[in-house]
Amino acid sequence: MTATPGPSVLVPVAARYAWWLGLPAERTADRDVPPEQVWAMPVVLRLEKAAPPSRTPLLEAAASAALAVCLHDDARPGGPWYEALLSWTSGHIRKVARRARGAHWEAVQDLPGVTVDVDGAQVRALLPCRVGDLPKEVSRLQISGSDVPFDEPGPAPDDRPVLLLNPDVTMSAGKAAAQVGHGTMLLAALLDQAELTAWADEGYRCSVRVADRDGWTRATDALARPHEAWDEHGLVAVRDAGFTEVEPGTVTVVAKARP
């Protein structure tokens, strides 16, 4: 994987979603934009029929892949991906997960993006584009049917960021993949350069776990004071816009920079 820290395309993400920082940002909205004009990042989940992946490594691969696209060498100012990524991050950071296998999975490997493998689970996050401009290799892939059974991954390692899923909200694997991708982007937008460099050296590895209810309550209580939650605990919340599956404003993920 080629990736270099440099959060320039993530500056609008910090300004928009970490509002307590006081960074200038237009509060853009795309609910009234024609669907074909909406910008989104395709996230392709490899779901082979004979050997489907486990849910946790699939989500961890999705979380790392989405961020790796944003911090790829080609995403630097002047690079071939920069303008597309900046157009996307300057609005809602929508992601649409699709499933692929066999020849369809191989076909998307030729499109601009990053593939991440975690314990045999593979996800390719692609360069965002307008929905109406999706390459045929992507538009033919199905969005529905991307679920995989829940697993029991055990405790999260203590040497990487953790993405905690809301224990009271049921999401498909595709929806959860998009949400954890939002989480890693928010973390990267807020980390200092030394922390981001260290994370890049680890391939942006992270852990995904369903939070226990007591831990979720403590985390969301802390997030009532978002500036303090970040400064003191390294916590940031992913709040869903409510386009699919969950109600607007639902906290789907709490991302923890420090376990």
Side-chain angles (χ1 to χ4, degrees):
M1 179 192 307
T2 302
T4 300
S8 57
V9 300
L10 296 180
V11 169
V13 175
R16 184 176 177 81
Y17 295 97
W19 52 266
W20 69 87
L21 297 176
L23 300 174
E26 290 187 29
R27 303 299 294 178
T28 57
D30 57 12
R31 288 183 180 275
D32 297 327
V33 174
E36 68 277 5
Q37 294 298 315
V38 171
W39 281 81
M41 171 185 275
V43 179
V44 183
L45 315 178
R46 186 177 190 180
L47 299 180
E48 298 290 345
K49 185 178 292 186
S54 297
R55 185 182 177 100
T56 296
L58 186 71
L59 297 183
E60 292 176 350
S64 297
L67 178 57
V69 171
C70 297
L71 297 182
H72 195 278
D73 285 344
D74 287 344
R76 291 178 174 183
W81 295 2
Y82 177 76
E83 292 298 334
L85 281 163
L86 189 63
S87 294
W88 175 58
T89 59
S90 295
H92 289 294
I93 51 173
R94 288 193 184 183
K95 298 180 181 72
V96 178
R98 296 171 182 264
R99 60 185 175 92
R101 62 174 180 257
H104 287 179
W105 168 256
E106 296 302 327
V108 300
Q109 303 308 302
D110 294 330
L111 300 175
V114 176
T115 297
V116 172
D117 183 310
V118 175
D119 297 334
Q122 293 182 304
V123 175
R124 185 167 182 83
L126 300 174
L127 187 65
C129 66
R130 290 185 177 88
V131 172
D133 296 332
L134 279 173
K136 67 179 185 303
E137 293 91 342
V138 178
S139 62
R140 68 188 179 188
L141 301 178
Q142 292 189 353
I143 298 173
S144 61
S146 63
D147 228 348
V148 293
F150 284 87
D151 54 356
E152 297 290 341
D158 60 5
D159 61 349
R160 63 187 62 163
V162 180
L163 305 169
L164 298 174
L165 296 167
N166 188 330
D168 298 315
V169 174
T170 300
M171 294 183 285
S172 67
K175 177 71 172 180
Q179 299 302 295
V180 295
H182 297 346
T184 50
M185 288 176 62
L186 285 172
L187 287 178
L190 296 175
L191 291 173
D192 64 34
Q193 192 62 47
E195 292 170 318
L196 194 57
T197 298
W199 198 12
D201 289 343
E202 299 299 323
Y204 305 114
R205 285 297 304 270
C206 58
S207 298
V208 175
R209 297 292 186 272
V210 177
D212 64 76
R213 284 184 170 79
D214 287 344
W216 184 259
T217 298
R218 289 193 299 271
T220 51
D221 285 350
L223 284 160
R225 301 173 301 283
H227 195 173
E228 294 176 19
W230 177 254
D231 286 346
E232 297 176 10
H233 307 291
L235 297 177
V236 64
V238 176
R239 288 182 172 84
D240 194 67
F243 294 107
T244 60
E245 293 194 27
V246 301
E247 292 297 316
T250 300
V251 177
T252 53
V253 174
V254 169
K256 299 175 63 177
R258 301 178 292 276

